[in-house]
Amino acid sequence: MEALIPVINKLQDVFNTVGADIIQLPQIVVVGTQSSGKSSVLESLVGRDILPRGTGIVTRRPLILQLVHIDAEDRRKTSEENESKKNGRLYRGIDGEEWGKFLHTKNKIYTDFEEIRQEIEAETERISGNNKGISDEPIHLKIFSPHVVNLTLVDLPGITKVPVGDQPKDIEVQIRELILKYISNPNSIILAVTAANTDMATSEALKVAREVDPDGRRTLAVVTKLDLMDAGTDAMDILMGRVIPVKLGIIGVVNRSQLDINQKKLVADAIRDEYAFLQKKYPSLANRNGTKYLARTLNRLLMHHIRDCLPELKTRINVLAAQYQSLLNSYGEPVDDKSATLLQLITKFAAEYCNTIEGTAKYIETAELCGGARICYIFHETFGRTLESVDPLGGLTTIDVLTAIRNATGPRPALFVPEVSFELLVKRQVKRLEEPSLRCVELVHEEMQRIIQHCSNYSTQELLRFPKLHDAIVEVVTSLLRKRLPVTNEMVHNLVAIELAYINTKHPDFADACGLMNNNIEEQRRNRMRDLPSAVPRDKAAAGQSVSVNEQTDGGTGNWRGMLKKGEEGSAGDRSLNPLPASPQKGHAVNLLDVPVPVSRKLSAREQRDCEVIERLIKSYFLIVRKNIQDSVPKAVMHFLVNHVKDCLQSELVGQLYKTVLLDDLLTESEDMAQRRNEAADMLKALQKASQVIAEIRETHLW
């Protein structure tokens, strides 16, 4: 199981090569307030002075520290394999048994640990500046030594409350968010560092750890500065877990003082002094505290944690590998045969465009209607309901009807309602169907324009590689649609014009309606005769109100003029008439050039009867025409616009774009496409390598 940690280190190296942190690897995150002794704990684990020192905030970037245990044979093997350039010459081997490597300096080997500390300071200032600000971009350092145990540690900036000097005013919030970013990783172990000479109940490190690990399943507490407690006090209750219980345990350590650091006291000597202090002050707990015990505990916890995380880690890596493989496929391969590629892309776009209209596209929209389904909705829902909402008598008043009747008779009083008035009024109503019909064409045109974008986004992602080809295809299809729009509009206009050109009063549906209406009028006449008082002779009543039915029909029930009755005798209806010409008053001169002043009066029986008949006839004929328009307009749109574009799209695209002089320009990739393809390929390679590493663990029975 000891070999599990080097495996995680190897995985970390794999993902470092692509600069990605998409995989949350098991690691130990060190959290504590400023001057709580975090850096001293890390240096004790390393056994070397490697971290910057000073007052205030010193750690200003996350330091991912990988400790790799090696023996003499590993060192010789590494020495033979390492080759680097330094000062213009090649050198082999490594002087010394311990060395370090930074990710940002590539293969440079550091055997002087003072140089490692200086490089950390320089790299921190390079990114974070020299104003004590922080950055979330980590520094990766790997230490090879026979004196360390295999560990992966993350050192974070210390928790602070008040900005000092020229630090940002929100430095507390920045540090807190950075800490939460790392300890929120469910695969991490939280090492909460607290000084023994402070109140454990107010530990900021334990407080922030509990926010993401309320059960304490992955939190280990470290109590530093045991030798600096007030005289007469000790940390026995704290170390025994009586003050604040921590599931993974509480380990006490003794740090080097600032004087020890200034006097260059070796870490090894400090560890010996720590052991002596624990034996003297806490003899019963000495074997369960101290730096060496802490290192072994961290190593054990990390190994068990890695073992628990590996199944989920393996699944995550496989899922990401499949996603990046799909992403890489969408970017396509570099173009070799441009002519064939262009023809293939044009053909595929044309096919997907037609399939979207037919409803057989590979990518079917689920959020909203699209393509042919939306066109169908426009025809039968939008257009159909709009036509049904048009009132056959809308905008037509009684005065309009009566005026049309009188204008059609000329200077002579009419015995019957003139047919011209009916045609005049019904044409006016039929004309109102043209506007919704043209709007139907417009809606279908807009949807066919939207299909272009739909195909670009979902169906033919390869087009995104070639923005100029994409723009050219959009322009060609848009131009084709633009050319078909006036043709379709003209046809729809003609459909309405055809209905206006000839008012077919012999239409079977219209003739039947006239016959039914005539029967209804005759029935109403009989009812009125039946309701007359007995004192009125029925022959006189009949003579005063109507002529015989035979005289009315003038050729049968199919003639609509037969429904109009002669004479104006009888009681007046209740229907009101708005402006009608007024009669000149008696005793006043009449100026025939003046326009008569309209007055309101009730319609006579004759006028009411004429208006009712005309309105019924208009409504009957309008419904016939509306039915024709509702059926013929979608057919015209399909033929002149939709089907024509489907049939001509492929040939139009090939004719406009498949030209030798355009090949290089149209198949020029976008500037970032090649870069994204390379990044996806590198990430896929890293994930596949990581998957192989995990597979090796199973083969060697480490898992």
Side-chain angles (χ1 to χ4, degrees):
M1 188 183 294
E2 180 70 25
L4 287 176
I5 297 178
V7 168
I8 293 298
N9 290 341
K10 188 181 294 185
L11 290 177
Q12 184 71 60
D13 294 340
V14 168
F15 292 114
N16 285 344
T17 59
V18 292
D21 55 356
I22 58 174
I23 296 292
Q24 295 179 318
L25 297 173
Q27 55 192 6
I28 300 170
V29 182
V30 184
V31 180
T33 58
Q34 284 185 20
S35 304
S36 62
K38 293 190 299 86
S39 298
S40 296
V41 171
L42 289 174
E43 288 182 337
S44 298
L45 294 173
V46 176
R48 290 279 194 159
D49 292 330
I50 62 170
L51 299 177
R53 294 284 182 171
T55 58
I57 182 170
V58 178
T59 304
R60 296 188 289 128
R61 288 178 60 185
L63 175 65
I64 299 179
L65 179 62
Q66 292 177 266
L67 304 182
V68 182
H69 176 81
I70 60 170
D71 53 27
E73 186 175 342
D74 292 331
R75 194 183 75 80
R76 287 194 299 270
K77 181 179 179 182
T78 305
S79 299
E80 293 173 359
E81 294 177 351
N82 274 284
E83 293 185 2
S84 301
K85 287 187 175 181
K86 186 176 183 181
N87 298 328
R89 66 182 179 86
L90 282 173
Y91 72 99
R92 294 175 180 271
I94 300 173
D95 296 330
E97 61 179 3
E98 299 175 292
W99 69 90
K101 289 175 62 177
F102 287 97
L103 177 64
H104 64 271
T105 58
K106 305 303 179 184
N107 294 323
K108 184 177 180 179
I109 305 297
Y110 294 83
T111 56
D112 184 354
F113 283 81
E114 177 64 22
E115 191 178 356
I116 291 178
R117 184 181 63 79
Q118 294 174 356
E119 180 61 30
I120 293 176
E121 291 179 346
E123 181 64 12
T124 298
E125 291 190 358
R126 186 180 69 85
I127 299 297
S128 303
N130 53 9
N131 67 339
K132 298 298 183 180
I134 66 169
S135 170
D136 62 351
E137 185 176 340
I139 299 174
H140 294 266
L141 172 62
K142 187 179 290 188
I143 301 293
F144 299 85
S145 172
H147 308 300
V148 300
V149 295
N150 292 313
L151 288 175
T152 299
L153 302 147
V154 181
D155 186 24
L156 297 174
I159 301 172
T160 184
K161 293 293 184 180
V162 181
V164 178
D166 55 354
Q167 285 182 341
K169 292 183 179 180
D170 63 339
I171 187 69
E172 177 188 358
V173 177
Q174 291 185 25
I175 294 176
R176 178 180 174 82
E177 290 178 350
L178 180 60
I179 292 173
L180 289 175
K181 174 183 175 181
Y182 279 88
I183 66 177
S184 297
N185 173 11
N187 295 333
S188 66
I189 295 175
I190 305 172
L191 189 65
V193 179
T194 305
N197 56 358
T198 62
D199 189 351
M200 191 76 169
T202 61
S203 170
E204 289 290 336
L206 288 175
K207 178 183 176 183
V208 73
R210 284 189 174 181
E211 291 184 20
V212 296
D213 183 32
D215 297 332
R217 297 181 181 274
R218 52 187 183 90
T219 301
L220 174 67
V222 174
V223 180
T224 62
K225 305 181 181 182
L226 291 176
D227 56 333
L228 299 182
M229 297 188 69
D230 294 337
T233 62
D234 61 32
M236 185 65 71
D237 289 342
I238 295 176
L239 297 177
M240 294 293 291
R242 295 169 185 160
V243 179
I244 301 292
V246 181
K247 284 189 177 181
L248 294 185
I250 302 174
I251 300 176
V253 297
V254 177
N255 304 114
R256 290 180 298 167
S257 66
Q258 189 60 46
L259 179 61
D260 294 335
I261 295 172
N262 294 339
Q263 294 177 350
K264 306 294 184 182
K265 183 177 182 178
L266 297 177
V267 175
D269 295 337
I271 291 176
R272 283 195 297 270
D273 293 343
E274 176 192 51
Y275 180 74
F277 174 84
L278 291 174
Q279 287 290 347
K280 178 182 178 180
K281 190 72 175 177
Y282 306 96
S284 62
L285 300 178
N287 62 338
R288 286 184 284 134
N289 289 276
T291 300
K292 289 188 176 180
Y293 180 76
L294 174 62
R296 292 195 302 270
T297 301
L298 290 175
N299 178 264
R300 174 177 55 82
L301 288 175
L302 187 58
M303 284 191 300
H304 286 283
H305 198 61
I306 291 172
R307 183 192 60 188
D308 295 338
C309 294
L310 275 178
E312 183 180 350
L313 192 63
K314 178 177 180 293
T315 302
R316 172 69 174 161
I317 289 175
N318 291 337
V319 170
L320 284 173
Q323 291 176 351
Y324 273 91
Q325 182 65 62
S326 176
L327 181 63
L328 188 61
N329 293 339
S330 69
Y331 292 152
E333 296 294 332
V335 178
D336 294 327
D337 188 348
K338 292 186 176 182
S339 179
T341 301
L342 178 59
L343 185 59
Q344 178 184 2
L345 290 175
I346 289 175
T347 303
K348 185 172 183 180
F349 178 87
E352 290 295 336
Y353 190 92
C354 296
N355 290 340
T356 303
I357 295 176
E358 294 296 332
T360 58
K362 181 178 180 182
Y363 298 91
I364 297 178
E365 183 68 57
T366 57
E368 61 178 355
L369 292 178
C370 177
R374 192 175 186 87
I375 293 175
C376 178
Y377 182 87
I378 292 171
F379 285 156
H380 302 290
E381 298 294 330
T382 305
F383 178 60
R385 290 182 179 178
T386 301
L387 289 187
E388 290 174 1
S389 67
V390 177
D391 183 6
L393 301 176
L396 196 63
T397 64
T398 304
I399 188 60
D400 294 334
V401 177
L402 200 55
T403 301
I405 294 174
R406 289 191 171 184
N407 286 339
T409 59
R412 295 170 300 278
L415 296 177
F416 303 100
V417 176
E419 187 173 351
V420 176
S421 62
F422 165 72
E423 292 191 2
L424 176 67
L425 293 172
V426 82
K427 285 181 179 180
R428 171 178 165 179
Q429 298 306 101
V430 169
K431 183 69 176 176
R432 298 169 60 215
L433 298 176
E434 183 174 10
E435 182 179 351
S437 300
L438 294 175
R439 178 57 181 161
C440 175
V441 178
E442 183 180 349
L443 290 175
V444 174
H445 177 267
E446 291 175 359
E447 177 57 26
M448 296 190 72
Q449 194 74 37
R450 289 178 68 246
I451 296 175
I452 303 175
Q453 192 63 37
H454 173 82
C455 293
S456 301
N457 292 341
Y458 299 98
S459 304
T460 53
Q461 291 190 3
E462 295 91 336
L463 283 179
L464 300 180
R465 293 177 57 191
F466 311 108
K468 291 186 178 181
L469 175 60
H470 174 266
D471 294 343
I473 289 178
V474 171
E475 178 61 30
V476 171
V477 181
T478 302
S479 177
L480 179 59
L481 290 172
R482 193 184 304 119
K483 287 190 297 184
R484 298 306 302 172
L485 184 59
V487 178
T488 310
N489 281 335
E490 181 65 22
M491 182 59 198
V492 170
H493 173 78
N494 287 337
L495 288 176
V496 179
I498 289 171
E499 296 292 344
L500 296 174
Y502 180 65
I503 305 301
N504 183 16
T505 57
K506 289 293 186 179
H507 190 284
D509 295 340
F510 186 68
D512 292 343
C514 291
L516 180 61
M517 200 177 305
N518 191 26
N519 293 335
N520 290 337
I521 292 175
E522 177 62 20
E523 181 65 25
Q524 292 174 7
R525 189 189 69 81
R526 293 196 187 99
N527 292 337
R528 284 197 300 271
M529 295 290 291
R530 190 181 306 115
D531 295 337
L532 286 175
S534 57
V536 180
R538 292 190 176 272
D539 55 347
K540 292 184 179 180
Q545 293 204 23
S546 65
V547 295
S548 67
V549 175
N550 293 332
E551 292 174 345
Q552 289 178 31
T553 55
D554 192 21
T557 58
N559 191 331
W560 63 271
R561 285 193 297 266
M563 292 183 291
L564 305 179
K565 299 183 180 181
K566 182 180 178 181
E568 298 183 357
E569 294 80 358
S571 62
D574 295 332
R575 191 165 176 177
S576 295
L577 176 67
N578 290 331
L580 279 179
S583 301
Q585 296 182 2
K586 184 176 181 181
H588 292 275
V590 178
N591 185 352
L592 297 178
L593 299 180
D594 287 343
V595 178
V597 179
V599 296
S600 296
R601 65 174 176 80
K602 288 186 177 181
L603 294 177
S604 66
R606 168 68 181 274
E607 290 170 341
Q608 181 179 351
R609 198 163 51 245
D610 290 350
C611 290
E612 287 180 354
V613 170
I614 288 293
E615 288 175 356
R616 291 183 182 183
L617 292 173
I618 291 174
K619 184 175 181 179
S620 175
Y621 195 83
F622 180 87
L623 295 178
I624 294 171
V625 175
R626 187 174 69 181
K627 183 178 179 181
N628 294 341
I629 294 295
Q630 191 171 351
D631 178 64
S632 59
V633 167
K635 293 178 179 178
V637 174
M638 286 299 296
H639 177 72
F640 287 92
L641 181 61
V642 179
N643 290 343
H644 187 278
V645 171
K646 283 171 50 183
D647 296 340
C648 300
L649 181 60
Q650 170 80 10
S651 59
E652 190 76 14
L653 288 172
V654 173
Q656 295 287 339
L657 304 179
Y658 191 64
K659 299 177 181 178
T660 305
V661 294
L662 299 177
L663 283 178
D664 293 336
D665 185 50
L666 292 178
L667 294 182
T668 301
E669 283 190 318
S670 59
E671 295 179 359
D672 60 338
M673 182 58 69
Q675 179 182 352
R676 288 189 301 196
R677 185 191 298 111
N678 293 336
E679 290 175 353
D682 292 341
M683 180 58 69
L684 180 61
K685 185 177 180 180
L687 290 167
Q688 291 172 342
K689 189 173 182 180
S691 182
Q692 293 175 358
V693 170
I694 294 180
E696 292 173 2
I697 299 176
R698 298 187 70 98
E699 292 176 1
T700 54
H701 305 288
L702 294 175
W703 177 12

